[in-house]
């Protein structure tokens, strides 16, 4: 599925569309001390109050990092007990917020104004092609079925590149399925940190793009190898909407095994490859972003562990797991890592 992380990664591609100064992949900002709109802390279930998500534990010497793997979207009526994360923050010196990425044009104010007209139609396929022209007939027939179910009679999406049509499909499907927006986990945890006056540390990676207008024009003329992403997304959407609720339950009950999803991982990889493997993406440095963001996060963790007895971090669950995940990177760095269910 094109998970929320992919929905955030794609604006990096037409971030290009975000180059006019917009921020991509925003994580929810920390709640300032004294703010009146602090979320409910006791609960953030599908049915009743669940035990709450488990925390990974990474240790090096006398220093401990407790990691909460975040998941989005969650069912809107989900309630999770925050007792464990509350206790962790009560005894921590620092909260490391989820990694955030920005794409910025390496131009001044007037350069951004010149860029704006070139962003019109950046999601559309080159040369006026439509989805019917660019995907196999059998795949297109399946697309029309799910489009009717989740998008309706919107003809503009037919002019999109396949990968952007997928984004539109999933945005609408998630909304119609009663799933909540991303960010509730981070907002809740940040509010708890504020309650205990715990320092909140952002993890920021900024990609500066030289001559963004040229990059946009080049992108509009280019093609993307996004058929695999489109096909997997169209074929998987119904099952994966159901999986979102199942995985939400697994997350809220600390069932780590049920959070692992090879099908989702395969689809995510296909879509991210489509985003990052193109010539424009490689030229402006988009291909390097996942590794650069992980390195930025590891650097913040190393700094925190140099002086904090205990810290807490929030990382999207799909970035934590796997051979190239953040947990594997911590182990390679000499940390001892214990999963929430290691004692089961």
């Amino acid at each position: 599925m094109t998970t929320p992380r992919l929905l955030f990664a794609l604006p990096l591609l037409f971030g290009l569309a975000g180059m006019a100064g917009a921020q991509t992949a925003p994580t929810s900002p920390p709640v300032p001390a004294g703010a009146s709109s602090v979320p409910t802390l006791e609960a953030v279930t599908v049915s009743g109050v669940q035990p709450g998500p488990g925390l990974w534990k990474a240790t090096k010497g006398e220093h401990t990092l407790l990691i909460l793997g975040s998941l989005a979207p969650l069912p809107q009526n989900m309630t999770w007990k925050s007792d464990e994360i509350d206790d962790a923050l009560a005894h921590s010196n620092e909260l490391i917020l989820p990694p955030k990425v920005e794409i910025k044009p390496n131009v001044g104010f007037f350069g951004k104004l010149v860029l704006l007209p070139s962003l019109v139609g950046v999601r559309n396929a080159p040369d006026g092609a439509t989805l019917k022209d660019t995907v196999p007939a059998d795949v297109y027939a399946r697309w029309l079925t799910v489009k009717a179910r989740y998008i309706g009679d919107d003809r503009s999406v037919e002019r999109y590149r396949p990968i952007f049509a997928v984004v539109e499909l999933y945005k609408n499907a998630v909304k119609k399925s009663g799933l909540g927006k991303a960010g509730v986990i981070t907002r809740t945890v940040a509010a708890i940190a504020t309650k205990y006056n715990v320092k909140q540390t952002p993890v920021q990676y900024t990609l500066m793009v030289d001559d963004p207008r040229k990059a946009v024009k080049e992108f509009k003329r280019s093609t993307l190898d996004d058929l695999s992403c489109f096909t997997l997304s169209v074929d998987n959407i119904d099952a994966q909407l159901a999986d979102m609720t199942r995985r939400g339950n697994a997350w809220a009950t600390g069932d780590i095994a049920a959070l692992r999803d090879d099908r989702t991982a395969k689809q995510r990889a296909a879509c991210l490859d489509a985003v990052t493997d193109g010539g424009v993406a490689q030229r402006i440095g988009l291909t390097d972003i996942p590794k650069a963001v992980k390195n930025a996060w590891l650097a913040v963790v190393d700094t925190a562990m140099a002086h904090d007895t205990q810290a807490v971090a929030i990382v999207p669950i799909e970035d934590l797991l796997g051979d190239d995940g953040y947990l594997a990177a911590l182990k390679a760095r000499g940390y001892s890592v214990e999963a929430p269910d290691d004692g089961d």
Side-chain angles (χ1 to χ4, degrees):
M1 114 129 225
T2 44
T3 71
R5 292 289 291 172
L6 176 61
L7 298 184
F8 294 149
L10 285 173
L12 296 179
L13 182 62
F14 77 99
L16 304 177
M19 283 185 207
Q23 173 179 296
T24 64
T27 53
S28 303
V31 179
S36 58
S37 56
V38 175
T40 302
L41 301 183
E42 306 80 30
V44 208
T45 69
V46 171
S47 177
V49 179
Q50 301 296 336
L55 302 177
W56 276 264
K57 182 178 181 181
T59 57
K60 182 182 281 189
E62 301 299 317
H63 303 272
T64 299
L65 177 69
L66 299 173
I67 307 170
L68 173 64
S70 63
L71 182 68
L74 293 172
Q76 290 181 348
N77 62 341
M78 172 164 287
T79 304
W80 54 275
K81 290 177 65 176
S82 55
D83 296 2
E84 186 174 1
I85 193 70
D86 189 289
D87 181 70
L89 284 166
H91 299 89
S92 294
N93 309 104
E94 189 171 351
L95 170 63
I96 301 173
L97 295 166
K100 184 171 71 172
V101 178
E102 284 185 335
I103 285 188
K104 290 185 176 181
N106 198 11
V107 294
F109 174 75
F110 291 104
K112 294 177 183 178
L113 291 181
V114 172
L115 171 63
L116 285 174
S118 66
L119 294 173
V120 176
V122 73
R123 292 176 295 186
N124 292 349
D127 302 321
T130 65
L131 287 173
K132 188 175 182 179
D133 301 324
T134 53
V135 303
D138 59 328
V139 178
Y140 183 69
R142 298 198 296 275
W143 153 260
L144 289 178
T145 299
V146 295
K147 179 196 172 189
R149 186 178 303 139
Y150 298 115
I151 298 178
D153 188 20
D154 181 352
R155 296 184 180 181
S156 63
V157 73
E158 292 293 324
R159 301 181 64 84
Y160 286 4
R161 294 170 185 261
I163 198 165
F164 290 111
V166 163
V167 172
E168 197 66 23
L169 176 67
Y170 271 89
K171 282 166 55 179
N172 283 273
V174 165
K175 184 177 180 180
K176 286 194 173 185
S177 299
L179 294 162
K181 295 180 179 179
V184 63
I185 295 171
T186 299
R187 287 194 297 273
T188 300
V189 176
I192 297 172
T194 297
K195 180 176 70 172
Y196 292 118
N197 295 315
V198 174
K199 174 186 175 183
Q200 299 181 39
T201 303
V203 180
Q204 176 76 40
Y205 177 76
T206 302
L207 175 65
M208 302 298 295
V209 178
D210 295 323
D211 199 353
R213 196 161 181 263
K214 178 182 177 182
V216 170
K217 288 184 175 181
E218 185 180 343
F219 172 73
K220 283 184 173 182
R221 295 192 301 266
S222 69
T223 58
L224 296 176
D225 186 14
D226 54 359
L227 179 57
S228 176
C229 169
F230 182 83
T231 303
L232 286 169
S233 299
V234 167
D235 290 346
N236 291 342
I237 185 168
D238 290 324
Q240 289 177 334
L241 287 171
D243 282 350
M244 288 181 190
T245 298
R246 177 189 59 78
R247 295 184 80 222
N249 274 307
W251 181 86
T253 57
D255 187 350
I256 304 306
L259 285 171
R260 303 180 189 275
D261 189 339
D262 292 338
R263 179 176 59 185
T264 294
K266 178 181 178 181
Q267 184 172 335
R268 179 172 180 253
C271 293
L272 288 176
D273 286 348
V275 172
T276 59
D277 285 354
V280 182
Q282 293 181 10
R283 185 173 64 76
I284 67 175
L286 201 61
T287 306
D288 303 327
I289 283 182
K291 182 178 180 180
V293 173
K294 181 164 62 176
N295 288 338
W297 183 83
L298 289 169
V300 170
V301 167
D302 284 343
T303 300
M305 291 294 93
H307 53 75
D308 293 339
T309 303
Q310 179 172 294
V312 173
I314 311 171
V315 178
I317 195 77
E318 60 265 31
D319 289 336
L320 276 182
L321 306 176
D323 295 339
D324 295 325
Y326 287 29
L327 294 174
L330 286 172
K331 291 178 182 178
R333 243 173 162 81
Y335 288 84
S336 175
V337 178
E338 180 182 338
D341 53 358
D342 278 355
D344 294 346

